[in-house]
């Protein structure tokens, strides 16, 4: 029951399979069948060097290659309850551009969903896309201590950070449930917590942090700016600064120099003393407003 190679340089051919020097070259499809759960195919390299091995190559050896040629397909099959054989998972490679020096490739992962094999994830020359088939599929990233660190809610078109998003129409950052809802006119970004909640804008010591309000004519027609160099808070409307609160608490309205309007608390109960001036007034005007109980 042995076939031995003797003097033939081309090896020994048996039913279209050539055996030579320990290798096998087949000119037709091959099927390996096992009746148990043992390893069906093992690729083993016994090299002791640091180079990669073993190597599995799927080679599309075409004499006339062209753009968009499919390069290979790794398939997983199953039988459904009716005994029909189905491709349920496939990994497909494709040549997008075969021009020498500018070659591009495409890799796609497909999984059967609701009876159809759909694109779950693919890598193209210009982008990496998850759920290009637009099915109701969530995307979730788990951190060391949070199972919902980042969630894309496929059904409700929301993105959540810290929790499953259940408020707003865009991004929901949630540390805990507040019990509140999001206003429909301000729900593109929702920050939620059960206690104190907020947004921090951190800038360099001599620079500014700002919130801009824009439209089709101007990307910062309105602004709220904190200048760390002077520790002052600026308010812009109509594309220009209209009011400023200085580091000492002065409220400057209409001008940016000091003493435009200055408020100070009176010493008596229910009284508010104030003084104001403009750029041409040397002596501030003043007065007292008495708030009766």
């Amino acid at each position: 029951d042995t076939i031995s190679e003797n003097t033939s340089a081309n090896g020994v051919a048996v039913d279209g399979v050539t055996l030579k020097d320990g290798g096998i070259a087949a000119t037709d499809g091959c099927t390996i069948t096992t009746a148990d759960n043992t390893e069906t195919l093992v690729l083993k390299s016994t090299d002791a060097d640091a180079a990669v091995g073993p190597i599995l190559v799927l080679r599309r050896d075409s004499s006339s290659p062209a753009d968009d040629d499919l390069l290979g397909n790794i398939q997983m099959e199953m039988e459904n309850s009716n005994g029909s054989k189905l491709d349920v998972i496939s990994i497909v490679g494709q040549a997008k551009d075969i021009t020498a020096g500018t070659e591009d490739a495409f890799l796609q992962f497909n999984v059967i969903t609701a009876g159809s094999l759909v694109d779950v994830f693919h890598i193209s020359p210009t982008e990496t896309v998850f759920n290009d088939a637009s099915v109701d599929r969530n995307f979730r990233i788990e951190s060391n201590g949070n199972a919902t660190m980042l969630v894309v809610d496929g059904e409700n078109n929301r993105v959540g950070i810290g929790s499953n998003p259940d408020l707003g129409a865009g991004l929901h950052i949630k540390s805990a449930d507040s019990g509140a809802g999001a206003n429909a006119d301000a729900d593109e970004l929702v920050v939620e917590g059960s206690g104190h909640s907020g947004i921090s804008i951190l800038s360099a010591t001599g620079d500014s942090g700002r919130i801009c309000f824009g439209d089709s004519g101007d990307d910062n027609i309105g602004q709220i700016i904190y200048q760390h160099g002077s520790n002052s808070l600026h308010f812009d409307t109509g594309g220009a600064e209209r009011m400023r609160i200085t580091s000492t608490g002065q409220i400057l309205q209409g001008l940016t120099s000091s003493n435009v309007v200055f408020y100070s608390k009176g010493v008596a109960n229910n009284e508010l003393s104030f003084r104001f001036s403009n750029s041409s007034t040397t002596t501030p005007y003043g007065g007292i407003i008495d708030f009766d109980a």
Side-chain angles (χ1 to χ4, degrees):
D1 296 328
T2 300
I3 298 176
S4 299
E5 178 186 359
N6 293 318
T7 60
S8 173
N10 295 322
V12 176
V14 180
D15 291 336
V17 177
T18 301
L19 309 178
K20 184 177 186 300
D21 297 335
I24 299 175
T27 57
D28 203 348
C30 300
T31 300
I32 302 174
T33 302
T34 58
D36 50 32
N37 295 321
T38 58
E39 297 168 332
T40 306
L41 175 64
V42 176
L43 305 179
K44 180 185 292 187
S45 172
T46 58
D47 282 342
D49 57 26
V52 63
I55 300 172
L56 174 65
V57 177
L58 305 181
R59 179 178 291 123
R60 180 71 181 269
D61 194 4
S62 172
S63 60
S64 56
D67 292 349
D68 298 324
D69 278 351
L70 293 175
L71 303 178
N73 188 357
I74 299 175
Q75 296 179 338
M76 299 182 193
E77 298 178 346
M78 75 174 191
E79 291 185 357
N80 63 14
S81 58
N82 292 328
S84 300
K85 185 185 295 184
L86 299 173
D87 294 335
V88 295
I89 297 174
S90 73
I91 303 173
V92 180
Q94 187 178 27
K96 301 302 292 183
D97 183 358
I98 65 164
T99 305
T102 61
E103 299 90 346
D104 289 324
F106 177 87
L107 182 63
Q108 180 171 310
F109 296 78
N110 305 300
V111 176
I112 196 167
T113 304
S116 299
L117 199 63
V118 298
D119 178 356
V120 173
F121 172 74
H122 72 242
I123 303 171
S124 77
T126 58
E127 60 182 359
T128 300
V129 181
F130 173 81
N131 198 28
D132 194 47
S134 298
V135 300
D136 183 3
R137 175 179 283 110
N138 294 342
F139 176 79
R140 180 174 63 87
I141 296 178
E142 184 170 346
S143 66
N144 183 47
N146 191 338
T148 52
M149 195 66 249
L150 175 64
V151 178
V152 176
D153 185 340
E155 178 181 3
N156 297 298
N157 301 315
R158 298 189 186 111
V159 176
I161 296 178
S163 180
N164 287 312
D166 55 9
L167 291 177
L171 177 60
H172 185 190
I173 303 174
K174 180 179 180 180
S175 60
D177 193 351
S178 67
N183 187 283
D185 292 333
D187 63 352
E188 284 77 15
L189 170 62
V190 178
V191 178
E192 182 181 15
S194 59
H196 298 298
S197 300
I199 300 174
S200 294
I201 301 176
L202 308 178
S203 308
T205 303
D207 294 314
S208 65
R210 65 187 62 203
I211 299 173
C212 294
F213 305 88
D215 53 33
S216 60
D218 194 336
D219 60 5
N220 62 347
I221 192 71
Q223 294 187 87
I224 300 174
I225 307 170
Y226 191 86
Q227 293 284 358
H228 291 273
S230 59
N231 284 321
S232 57
L233 185 62
H234 303 213
F235 299 86
D236 292 12
T237 60
E241 181 181 337
R242 307 300 182 184
M243 188 172 74
R244 178 184 300 186
I245 302 176
T246 69
S247 60
T248 59
Q250 288 181 319
I251 301 177
L252 314 180
Q253 186 173 355
L255 296 173
T256 57
S257 60
S258 62
N259 289 331
V260 176
V261 178
F262 176 73
Y263 296 95
S264 64
K265 185 178 180 181
V267 294
N269 292 333
N270 299 324
E271 290 184 349
L272 178 67
S273 62
F274 66 93
R275 57 195 178 104
F276 63 91
S277 68
N278 57 38
S279 59
S280 62
T281 303
T282 57
T283 302
Y285 297 96
I288 295 177
I289 298 176
D290 187 9
F291 297 95
D292 294 329

